[in-house]
DNA sequence: CCGCCTATTGGCGGATCCGCCAATTTCCAA
DNA sequence: TTGGAAATTGGCGGATCCGCCAATAGGCGG
């Protein structure tokens, strides 16, 4: 009732760092459980390759030139909602984790993971499980909860970041300066910031804003 | 007058991403010109290994837990000012490049470099040359020049980031609120920001501030 | 159908910001 | 030594911010 050599798990690697991809291919390629069927260094290419190869599991980086990893993930899940994708990235920002999971990621590991743990994670993902380290889970629950901004608030924060006044923000968004101010108040409260400068800082720290 | 197999260039790899290190070791290990003599995933370990092996070239990542790459670089150059170090990192922030070069890096390449280019860069470094891509050079000259903050101004910006008012900043730094305000004015001008919120944003964008 | 959340707008007032002007001292580099 | 940049402090005033209070309207899930 047990095959000594089951079919390997077919993998698609997506990362814009060639050396990193080489590392993944090397580390995983040595394990007979895995087979790297394709690699891509941007979202567009990844989509095409995914469609052609239909890998069992996709390893996806978030920060890439062009279409980012989250968008790529959404597009893949749009084609096949059962696609299994493991996010493998350097960012441990709450927003990135949250967006990835919301977009349908089956797991999220940071790049400082050890090779053996990565392999184990892929097996778990392929078996239908979820992967999210205790550390990341803790980050998500403790540091967050009520303090995630609405899309409108994120929009306002983006303008604050550019140095616009409440009045200007109001005109830019077609709303009253009063309303912009109200959003600002909510942002300050949610981000636990004492003024707009601190709010922008918190935005970068949490990953809401990106350099 | 030409040896067919010269002694390989002895390398120390420092990066806190195990898979990335595997990639480097794999990519470079296949080339007989190179020999990976040691690997480290943090600055302290790197220092010890560097001292024991005295590699020809050190590949150093900037963002690491504990002592960061720049500090590690400084410590190495302190022991041996002729040590040759190539920064290999994901960050293309002006501040990181500037600090790395000032700390004595012989070269700076981002992780999206192709394997062949990385190998070539290492050879150049080992031969006594400098490596800095045209793209990064352009970034350094165009976007910068006069707009690098003084240490005092960076100190102030760090407090602004935390939401302190000019008055509070003055007291925290043991100076007058007037002076804090003056620094703020200079910061705004140098960073081309219209208010402190935008200044904080620019700080993160340029790499002066880090998440 | 009824709360709850979100978006919206309004008034009021004290706190804070930022620009423009000018001055002194220190310290480094040419 | 001398010029210049950096750090420091001061005054003045209009613009802007942010807190506290309150209200309306639309949407969504229980």
């Amino acid at each position: 009732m047990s095959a000594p050599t089951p079919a390997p798990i077919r993998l698609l690697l997506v990362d814009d760092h060639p050396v990193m991809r080489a590392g993944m291919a090397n580390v995983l390629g040595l394990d007979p459980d895995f087979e790297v069927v394709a690699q891509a260094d941007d979202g567009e290419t990844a989509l095409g390759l995914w469609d052609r190869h239909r890998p069992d599991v996709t390893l996806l980086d978030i920060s890439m030139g062009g279409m980012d990893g989250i968008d790529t993930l959404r597009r893949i899940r749009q084609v096949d909602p059962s696609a299994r994708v493991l996010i493998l990235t350097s960012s441990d920002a709450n927003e990135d984790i949250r967006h990835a999971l919301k977009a349908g990621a089956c797991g999220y590991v940071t790049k400082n993971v050890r090779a053996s743990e990565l392999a184990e994670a892929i097996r778990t993902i392929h078996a239908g499980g979820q992967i999210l380290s205790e550390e990341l889970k803790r980050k998500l629950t403790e540091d967050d909860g009520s303090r995630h901004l609405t899309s409108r608030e994120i929009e306002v924060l983006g303008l604050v970041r550019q140095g616009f006044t409440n009045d200007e923000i109001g005109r830019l968004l077609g709303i009253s300066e009063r309303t912009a101010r109200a959003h600002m108040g909510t942002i300050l409260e949610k981000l636990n910031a004492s003024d707009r400068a601190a709010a922008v800082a918190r935005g970068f720290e949490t990953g809401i804003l990106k350099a």
Side-chain angles (χ1 to χ4, degrees), chain A:
Chain A
M1 190 66 88
S2 63
T5 38
I9 301 176
R10 300 169 60 255
L11 302 174
L12 166 61
L13 310 183
V14 188
D15 195 307
D16 63 346
H17 297 158
V19 179
M20 185 71 195
R21 286 205 311 276
M24 293 191 253
N26 190 45
V27 159
L28 299 172
L30 293 179
D31 191 321
D33 285 4
F34 305 114
E35 179 192 357
V36 177
V37 295
Q39 303 185 23
D41 62 0
D42 65 77
E44 287 77 9
T45 309
L47 267 178
L49 289 175
W50 185 88
D51 201 49
R52 177 145 67 254
H53 296 283
R54 300 291 171 142
D56 296 318
V57 176
T58 301
L59 299 196
L60 187 57
D61 189 17
I62 290 187
S63 57
M64 293 187 294
M67 180 167 59
D68 74 16
I70 303 293
D71 286 333
T72 307
L73 171 55
R74 289 203 186 90
R75 297 280 297 275
I76 290 178
R77 301 276 303 190
Q78 190 176 318
V79 179
D80 177 5
S82 71
R84 304 202 69 74
V85 176
L86 174 62
I87 299 293
L88 177 61
T89 189
S90 340
S91 163
D92 64 348
N94 276 322
E95 286 297 306
D96 284 334
I97 304 174
R98 183 181 321 288
H99 285 149
L101 295 181
K102 186 178 297 179
C106 304
Y108 191 111
V109 298
T110 54
K111 282 187 179 174
N112 53 36
V113 70
R114 272 170 297 160
S116 58
E117 296 168 328
L118 176 59
E120 197 46 50
I122 296 174
R123 288 194 193 89
T124 303
I125 293 286
H126 181 243
Q130 302 264 320
I131 286 291
L132 190 60
S133 77
E134 288 309 317
E135 191 183 337
L136 297 183
K137 273 184 197 160
R138 187 181 41 67
K139 280 201 62 169
L140 271 188
T141 51
E142 79 173 20
D143 183 64
D144 207 84
S146 68
R147 59 188 59 178
H148 70 281
L149 306 188
T150 67
S151 60
R152 194 54 153 175
E153 286 156 0
I154 291 175
E155 200 171 7
V156 170
L157 186 57
L159 295 172
V160 171
R161 162 194 186 164
Q162 296 172 58
F164 291 112
T165 66
N166 287 334
D167 192 64
E168 290 169 327
I169 291 171
R171 267 171 296 179
L172 285 168
L173 296 183
I175 59 180
S176 157
E177 175 272 341
R178 288 290 151 193
T179 309
R181 188 192 304 185
H183 287 311
M184 196 63 236
T186 313
I187 291 171
L188 292 177
E189 188 198 342
K190 286 185 177 177
L191 294 184
N192 193 30
S194 54
D195 62 28
R196 48 181 58 212
V200 168
R202 296 286 298 137
F204 278 99
E205 289 162 10
T206 58
I208 297 172
L209 298 177
K210 293 179 189 291

